[in-house]
Amino acid sequence: PLPRQGEDGMNPDIVIVGAGPAGSATAILLAERGFTVMLLDKAAFPRPKICGEYLSPEASRILDRLGVLKDVDAAGAQPLSGMRIIAPDGTRLDGAYPTAGPWRAYRDHALAVPREILDALLLERARSLPVTVAERQRVTGLLVEGDSVVGLRAEDPEGRSYEVRSRLLVGADGRGSIVARALGLLRPHRLRRMALVQHVGGLAGFDGRGEIYVDPPDYAILNPVAPDRVNLGLVVPLRHAVAFRGRMETFFHARLKQLRHLSPRLEGMRPVGRLRVLGPLAYRVDEPRHAGVALVGDAAGFFDPFTGEGLYTALRSAEMLAETAHAALEGGQVSAEALAPYWRARRRAFAAKERVTRVLQWVIARRRLATLTAHVLVRRPALLGTLMGVIGDFVPPGALLRPSLLRRDRSRPGSEVR
């Protein structure tokens, strides 16, 4: 049964809206610290979710901390040793996550796994703890008293309204977060792109690597998430799809054919499940000014999927929020000032990689520059390896500025021009 306002006093310490990776991870970490937690989601699990379905090498550390890594492996998560990147002129970069040097990942490979599996495993782990999990609950508003958020209003599957009061409300409800929206925190981003994602079968030859095809203004990502199942994602300018509203399947397949190095790769492809469309991708979220509320995962903002940071960011931000929330709740103070260390930690953790992603987006939007960059990386495999480590979330972005990386090196295999 749901703890409700005035109903035998069962109001939790923390209410979390959204039971995806960010919400479930936050619930796990705070329940382990002895807090009472309620986790709500509007969906019924397992459920599909539009996503690149990529977990960087460093994400495995957090999955292990959460107690689900072995289950994720057992469920068939596919190890990825790197990414194969095909430039506009056909230059191929075989980028591997570095396994030597001053920075090492928790594992030497990334993981690809369908969201239905990952999210269900994290949610089941949350259920194994003192967490009240309620699916198919629609949050309709927040309870605000003065400058404090003190709970929420929601409806159960039968449409019955109820209220839950809490010491801390966490918005983990992804893009378009009702928590962020209710507080007026959502902001548009000037990068106006959309993603079209579909699972497909009939493709082989990945050899433990994902594939990225850059063909400005578009790029496509092939991510093998299971035997004979590939996550195919296409990212295009939002304005290019406006005329095809209501005909996204037509637009999707026509656009794939225009990527001349990708199109031959897709011969024999067959759809598995339906096409999912999302846009605009990037958006900003302001830091909350109210007490008693925090945002985690995509609810706190999203930039772009090219470097696959979404799931790692969700899990890592859950770790950081758990640290700050624990201290704030134990100290009896959940003011905006008491929760501010979480936002500062987020900026320190993610700002540098976001700058790298901005540069990459600027490069891949320009055909000649994207091709030139690919040629530079072919001749400098140490630079390519460092970039892969940055994308993999275990090499600090500042390492890309080391002068030694600009030296041309023909001694290491792994990249080629075709």
Side-chain angles (χ1 to χ4, degrees), residues 2 4 17-18 38-44 133-140 152-158 160 162:
L2 296 177
R4 303 186 182 190
V17 182
M38 181 178 177
L39 182 59
L40 303 177
D41 201 285
K42 64 183 179 181
V133 176
E135 302 173 45
R136 299 173 60 207
Q137 309 294 311
R138 188 172 73 89
V139 175
T140 58
L152 56 77
R153 293 185 297 273
E155 291 180 353
D156 67 16
E158 286 71 44
R160 294 174 298 202
Y162 63 93

Side-chain angles (χ1 to χ4, degrees), residues 303 347 350-361 397:
F303 184 61
R347 285 191 286 271
F350 304 135
K353 187 177 178 184
E354 183 174 328
R355 287 192 291 270
V356 171
T357 305
R358 283 194 195 127
V359 172
L360 288 174
Q361 283 293 341

Side-chain angles (χ1 to χ4, degrees), residues 38 44 59 65 73 81 87 101 105 118 123 141 188 220-221 238 248 268 279 332 387:
M38 181 178 177
R65 165 68 185 84
D73 287 339
S81 61
L118 176 67
L123 187 57
I221 303 174
L238 186 64
M248 284 294 104
L387 178 60

